[in-house]
Amino acid sequence: MTVSNSETEIIVEDPSAPPAHSPAVTHTRIVDIVVSLLLLALALVMAFDNWRTGNSWDFAGPQAGYFPFYLSIILAGACIYGIVAAGRGRGGADKPFVTRDQLRRVMQVFVPTLAFCLLTQWLGLYVASFLLVAGFMWKIGRIALWKSLLTSVLFAFIMFATFDLAFDLIMPKGPLEALFGR
């Protein structure tokens, strides 16, 4: 930990931070164009659907698609502007958007979270939460396995007691809860 000269500023160095020399996976210009194209496609689908629904005034006032239609036209215009601006290279578009090491760190969180969402369907909320918390603590947090397992068991039990027992909420159940008759 490095403390700067100013009393109000503390600089903490993260030993596991990605190195600055990591190669870029993609650049800001490419991401700007891809996101603008995706939003433009969404805007065009919304415009068509709201045009089909009705985007004019009738005797009672605006039809159901009137305001959403014009909002989708504004969104499409903003997307076209974004594509043109990114194509011209404005705003530091050649800067790396994400480096290989940064993407690796993001994927370390994204992949287990996606697996958690999928496993919740088959294992239930509490078992999937146990696995997610234990995995994060052990692998990413580098916390001792026994502490990770103990914390995960306590977390899953507290969630079960809170949601199932105290509030009687319907949560995704798995085979473990079926053993307890829940």
Side-chain angles (χ1 to χ4, degrees):
M1 182 165 120
T2 306
V3 179
S4 67
N5 293 336
S6 172
E7 291 182 24
T8 59
E9 181 181 359
I10 297 175
I11 300 172
V12 178
E13 295 175 7
D14 182 5
S16 62
H21 62 276
S22 179
V25 174
T26 187
H27 293 279
T28 304
R29 175 182 299 180
I30 294 169
V31 173
D32 285 346
I33 291 172
V34 168
V35 169
S36 293
L37 286 171
L38 290 172
L39 285 174
L40 179 61
L42 175 68
L44 294 175
V45 168
M46 286 179 12
F48 172 75
D49 190 51
N50 288 302
W51 170 78
R52 188 184 53 78
T53 303
N55 67 338
S56 61
W57 287 80
D58 62 8
F59 66 92
Q63 293 178 324
Y66 182 79
F67 292 111
F69 175 78
Y70 288 104
L71 287 175
S72 62
I73 295 299
I74 292 169
L75 177 61
C79 292
I80 292 170
Y81 174 80
I83 293 168
V84 170
R88 290 184 178 171
R90 293 186 182 169
D94 290 334
K95 294 188 310 185
F97 179 75
V98 65
T99 64
R100 185 177 299 152
D101 290 326
Q102 289 171 337
L103 184 62
R104 181 185 54 79
R105 290 182 77 170
V106 168
M107 296 311 278
Q108 282 180 329
V109 174
F110 176 74
V111 170
T113 304
L114 178 64
F116 164 75
C117 294
L118 296 173
L119 288 175
T120 299
Q121 303 303 312
W122 293 287
L123 299 177
L125 178 67
Y126 309 114
V127 175
S129 295
F130 166 81
L131 294 172
L132 180 73
V133 172
F136 271 126
M137 289 179 69
W138 185 46
K139 284 296 204 182
I140 295 175
R142 295 183 178 93
I143 296 173
L145 182 59
W146 73 269
K147 291 178 184 176
S148 301
L149 293 174
L150 178 63
T151 303
S152 299
V153 167
L154 289 174
F155 177 74
F157 178 74
I158 290 170
M159 277 185 27
F160 178 77
T162 302
F163 295 131
D164 250 57
L165 301 177
F167 294 123
D168 198 28
L169 294 174
I170 299 172
M171 303 304 271
K173 303 287 193 249
L176 184 63
E177 291 88 354
L179 291 175
F180 296 116
R182 296 294 296 173

